[in-house]
Amino acid sequence: MESTMKEIRGGASVLDMDPKSTVGGGVEDVYGEDCATEDQLVTPWTYSVSSGYSLLRDPHHNKGLAFTEAERDSHYLRGLLPPAVVTQQLQENKLMNSIRKYQVPLQKYMAMMELQERNERLFYKLLIDNVEELLPVVYTPTVGEACQKYGSIFRRPQGLYISLKEKGKVLDVLKNWPERSIQVIVVTDGERILGLGDLGCQGMGIPVGKLSLYTALGGVRPSACLPVTIDVGTNNEELLKNEFYIGLRQRRATGQEYADLLHEFMTAVKQNYGEKVLIQFEDFANHNAFTLLAKYGTTHLVFNDDIQGTASVVLSGVVAALKLIGGSLADHTFLFLGAGEAGTGIAELIALEMSKQTKAPVEETRKKVWLVDSKGLIVSSRKESLQHFKKPWAHEHEPVKDLLGAVKAIKPTVLIGSSGVGRTFTKEIIETLSSFNEKPLVMALSNPTSQSECTAEEAYTWSQGRAIFASGSPFDPFEYNGKVFVPGQANNAYIFPGFGLGLVISGAIRVHDDMLLAASEALAKQVSEENYDKGLIYPPFSNIRKISANIAASVAAKAYELGVATRLPRPANLVKYAESCMYSPIYRSYR
Ligand SMILES: NC(=O)C1=CN([C@@H]2O[C@H](COP(=O)(O)OP(=O)(O)OC[C@H]3O[C@@H](n4cnc5c(N)ncnc54)[C@H](OP(=O)(O)O)[C@@H]3O)[C@@H](O)[C@H]2O)C=CC1
Ligand SMILES: CC(=O)C(=O)O
Ligand SMILES: [Mg+2]
């Protein structure tokens, strides 16, 4: 080591050198960092006020060429930037041009992540102004591929990693995060990333992506958002063997060891950020998801997006679709492929809403809803062996082994895919469904696109243009027999940003099912006649900030009504209040 250093410095030992010497060229090495040998300790000095060079490298404050002449003078930026001064709009146009030139979605994703790390406000301006174009880049489907390759594309940490190594020190880890006023945490343990399975620590792409939507779609300040990945290992053998894997190289901890780390995390969050921080559970496997939600639902402000957010968005789509397919909710029969978090979560909210509408007990309305899992139709003869969340759906019926058999036996009017398995709505299934429904409602919820139960083209073609179709990941409009069909996106991204904003602005301390119903209703109300004419059951994402403000207002109103809101007095106009709280990505002027 020493001999290498001597060669570099022309033979003089670094230890003999005057630390202030500039003989070697360059500026004075005030801190002695350049003179230190590789085994000597140095202090990572930094400035506490962002200015000059460090301002350009601070993503929260950087504006690049948009710094004004006055700002360049007062913030020591002269010479650090070329002379041109441009507008934020011009910066946006330039970046959109270059992002559009990338053919590979993952390149677009990486360009967006690089922008987020370089200039946060510009990132959010792009995302807000071009939401329909960029949502598939920062969110499903591309975020799925990004998680699969996260180890290779990882540049900088974008959230907190809490692994088993941090057991006993989780509170200290939270304190390492640079922001103090956290309002929303999205946390995953990476075990069920979209329909892609266990991606371990690489699941971090999901909390990062969800929180960027919290800001862009729901207006929660980026500094108030904290992405967290809990790393208890992975059972994904390929990742364990992959030299670029960034997580713990061990099989998943389970049982008490798992529960203890999660409990330490939940306790530390409340201790560090208080009672009103929202913890959104995301992409946990169902054997943990239901337990965590039940366990912490009474002590923390928790929300499971896959169970509750998905339920709210799908109920909204179904209610909106009634305008097109006719009848009331209780007139319909629902069949699900997939009886996990999404499937049973949606089923329960549909049954709850039906019960509210008809005044029938929920035990009765559940009978309008049927689910198929990997072993076939869920029926009473299977009850003993079923996981607890499936038991309420074990209705009286003879066993049916697959979805086609179930479609024939149950004759549903609404078919919902929540299995995580692609191409499971076959031609025969859609044709059979269309044989007894004038307008079948088909929702292929599984993400990313590769896992969608069918494509838009398949749904429209096999139903001869009669299906009302929506999917979890977006599909392009499709022309069939001279008519253009526009598929909707049934994705919880419509709900969670506005839902979370509603909780934050009301200072809610608990989530209640009635808030999910309120969010669902608020979303359904935003579907216009023009949307219905195109076969859409969701409003376009281009209006999402207005939609989110309305959802937030409805959720907040419900929080006040239920007595769980702590922000008092209640603002008179909650929509206006929600709008006034929303983050804007427009650059600030610096004094
Ligand atoms: N559009 C949206 O907003 C959302 C979409 N999703 C998507 O939904 C999918 C499922 O998520 P989630 O519910 O959390 O996952 P879970 O793992 O909790 O549930 C999956 C369910 O699908 C069943 N299943 C798996 N393979 C088959 C098969 N070949 N035939 C029949 N059933 C099968 C499983 O059966 P068994 O129980 O027997 O193993 C299980 O009941 C994912 O792809 C996810 O991306 C999730 C949340 C939101
Ligand atoms: C959208 C979502 O939350 C999921 O696919 O898991
Ligand atoms: Mg999810």
Side-chain angles (χ1 to χ4, degrees):
M1 176 78 60
E2 183 125 327
S3 64
T4 324
M5 294 298 288
K6 274 184 183 161
E7 279 159 30
I8 293 169
R9 308 247 175 186
S13 161
V14 288
L15 300 175
D16 303 336
M17 285 171 74
D18 171 2
K20 291 197 176 159
S21 159
T22 56
V23 176
V27 292
E28 191 180 23
D29 178 13
V30 183
Y31 304 114
E33 283 175 17
D34 293 346
C35 301
T37 58
E38 287 180 19
D39 48 6
Q40 278 181 316
L41 299 178
V42 298
T43 305
W45 292 105
T46 185
Y47 303 93
S48 56
V49 175
S50 227
S51 75
Y53 192 74
S54 64
L55 179 57
L56 295 179
R57 268 154 189 71
D58 172 359
H60 305 301
H61 300 106
N62 182 26
K63 305 194 216 176
L65 288 182
F67 278 112
T68 63
E69 299 287 0
E71 286 169 337
R72 290 173 191 217
D73 279 333
S74 52
H75 291 276
Y76 307 97
L77 294 169
R78 285 280 163 211
L80 297 181
L81 289 165
V85 177
V86 304
T87 61
Q88 193 179 15
Q89 189 56 52
L90 192 86
Q91 289 180 311
E92 176 181 336
N93 298 349
K94 181 180 133 188
L95 277 160
M96 285 308 295
N97 279 344
S98 68
I99 286 172
R100 283 177 186 137
K101 285 197 185 113
Y102 290 122
Q103 297 298 315
V104 180
L106 194 61
Q107 286 177 328
K108 293 181 194 243
Y109 176 88
M110 288 169 71
M112 284 299 283
M113 290 305 109
E114 197 270 332
L115 175 60
Q116 190 174 21
E117 284 165 19
R118 181 160 51 85
N119 183 335
E120 191 175 78
R121 282 184 184 268
L122 192 52
F123 167 83
Y124 282 112
K125 181 143 173 25
L126 253 71
L127 194 48
I128 291 168
D129 292 350
N130 307 276
V131 64
E132 289 188 318
E133 187 175 347
L134 293 178
L135 207 54
V137 175
V138 301
Y139 191 54
T140 183
T142 312
V143 72
E145 189 186 352
C147 288
Q148 288 174 311
K149 298 177 179 160
Y150 210 73
S152 305
I153 63 174
F154 175 84
R155 298 236 166 103
R156 278 180 180 198
Q158 296 166 293
L160 270 183
Y161 294 88
I162 299 178
S163 79
L164 286 170
K165 285 201 239 175
E166 280 73 54
K167 193 167 157 22
K169 295 179 268 189
V170 174
L171 184 59
D172 296 336
V173 175
L174 291 183
K175 290 187 196 293
N176 286 345
W177 187 249
E179 305 291 346
R180 289 283 162 266
S181 314
I182 299 300
Q183 291 172 325
V184 184
I185 293 174
V186 175
V187 57
T188 188
D189 72 354
E191 193 169 4
R192 195 288 276 141
I193 295 299
L194 307 177
L196 301 171
D198 183 352
L199 297 184
C201 193
Q202 302 197 164
M204 180 56 105
I206 295 294
V208 168
K210 291 272 178 186
L211 282 165
S212 68
L213 304 197
Y214 257 105
T215 299
L217 279 49
V220 177
R221 276 178 299 115
S223 59
C225 297
L226 172 57
V228 176
T229 294
I230 306 265
D231 186 354
V232 294
T234 177
N235 295 340
N236 183 325
E237 296 298 337
E238 270 181 38
L239 287 181
L240 288 172
K241 280 188 267 167
N242 186 331
E243 60 176 328
F244 298 129
Y245 181 55
I246 56 171
L248 283 186
R249 243 167 246 278
Q250 65 167 70
R251 292 184 68 78
R252 277 185 180 275
T254 56
Q256 201 55 46
E257 195 180 7
Y258 177 89
D260 285 349
L261 186 66
L262 265 292
H263 191 67
E264 189 185 340
F265 167 70
M266 295 301 290
T267 310
V269 164
K270 206 162 157 179
Q271 212 173 327
N272 207 35
Y273 304 116
E275 182 102 359
K276 287 179 264 177
V277 61
L278 170 63
I279 304 170
Q280 173 165 318
F281 293 120
E282 193 70 51
D283 291 9
F284 282 74
N286 60 39
H287 55 93
N288 290 317
F290 289 101
T291 315
L292 289 171
L293 187 61
K295 182 172 176 186
Y296 294 106
T298 52
T299 54
H300 290 65
L301 182 66
V302 289
F303 168 69
N304 184 302
D305 189 33
D306 301 300
I307 301 171
Q308 299 172 299
T310 314
S312 186
V313 78
V314 172
L315 174 63
S316 170
V318 170
V319 167
L322 295 177
K323 276 223 174 185
L324 300 171
I325 62 179
S328 71
L329 199 58
D331 293 330
H332 288 273
T333 306
F334 297 81
L335 180 63
F336 288 77
L337 181 70
E341 292 166 69
T344 61
I346 302 161
E348 187 62 22
L349 204 66
I350 288 176
L352 186 64
E353 176 63 15
M354 234 186 242
S355 161
K356 288 200 182 241
Q357 288 182 9
T358 60
K359 309 276 183 275
V362 74
E363 292 74 19
E364 277 307 304
T365 56
R366 283 190 187 126
K367 291 182 182 155
K368 298 289 290 184
V369 185
W370 297 81
L371 295 101
V372 171
D373 66 7
S374 64
K375 296 188 179 64
L377 189 64
I378 296 184
V379 290
S380 51
S381 56
R382 294 180 52 197
K383 197 157 184 174
E384 286 311 304
S385 62
L386 291 172
Q387 289 143 291
H388 66 94
F389 50 87
K390 293 180 184 169
K391 287 188 196 286
W393 310 101
H395 309 317
E396 288 300 326
H397 198 284
E398 64 202 38
V400 179
K401 69 175 186 339
D402 60 16
L403 181 64
L404 180 61
V407 170
K408 288 178 180 166
I410 304 298
K411 296 204 168 24
T413 53
V414 180
L415 180 63
I416 299 179
S418 53
S419 61
V421 186
R423 306 299 175 270
T424 34
F425 290 173
T426 59
K427 184 166 188 270
E428 203 179 355
I429 285 170
I430 299 290
E431 282 178 352
T432 306
L433 182 73
S434 309
S435 71
F436 48 78
N437 285 299
E438 179 50 33
K439 282 190 169 294
L441 174 57
V442 179
M443 301 177 97
L445 301 178
S446 293
N447 296 314
T449 316
S450 57
Q451 313 309 111
S452 188
E453 282 78 7
C454 68
T455 65
E457 178 176 344
E458 288 166 348
Y460 294 128
T461 310
W462 295 338
S463 67
Q464 297 174 324
R466 288 186 285 125
I468 307 299
F469 177 77
S471 53
S473 296
F475 281 104
D476 288 336
F478 176 70
E479 192 177 325
Y480 178 78
N481 274 355
K483 186 173 174 206
V484 176
F485 293 86
V486 185
Q489 193 175 349
N491 195 295
N492 50 32
Y494 272 111
I495 292 290
F496 70 79
F499 191 85
L501 180 67
L503 297 174
V504 167
I505 63 170
S506 61
I509 50 163
R510 296 288 177 269
V511 166
H512 193 283
D513 279 350
D514 284 354
M515 298 174 180
L516 300 173
L517 295 176
S520 187
E521 192 185 337
L523 176 59
K525 274 193 194 148
Q526 301 293 315
V527 189
S528 67
E529 286 306 322
E530 194 193 331
N531 302 149
Y532 283 125
D533 289 347
K534 292 183 193 155
L536 280 170
I537 53 174
Y538 293 101
F541 266 114
S542 50
N543 284 343
I544 189 69
R545 288 182 54 109
K546 177 175 162 269
I547 296 166
S548 293
N550 279 279
I551 292 175
S554 296
V555 170
K558 195 51 83 178
Y560 284 105
E561 197 184 311
L562 293 167
V564 292
T566 60
R567 193 205 168 277
L568 298 169
R570 177 196 191 279
N573 185 331
L574 282 167
V575 177
K576 278 217 163 71
Y577 182 63
E579 280 168 348
S580 74
C581 294
M582 288 171 90
Y583 165 86
S584 154
I586 302 302
Y587 288 143
R588 301 279 180 77
S589 298
Y590 299 145
R591 65 173 67 83

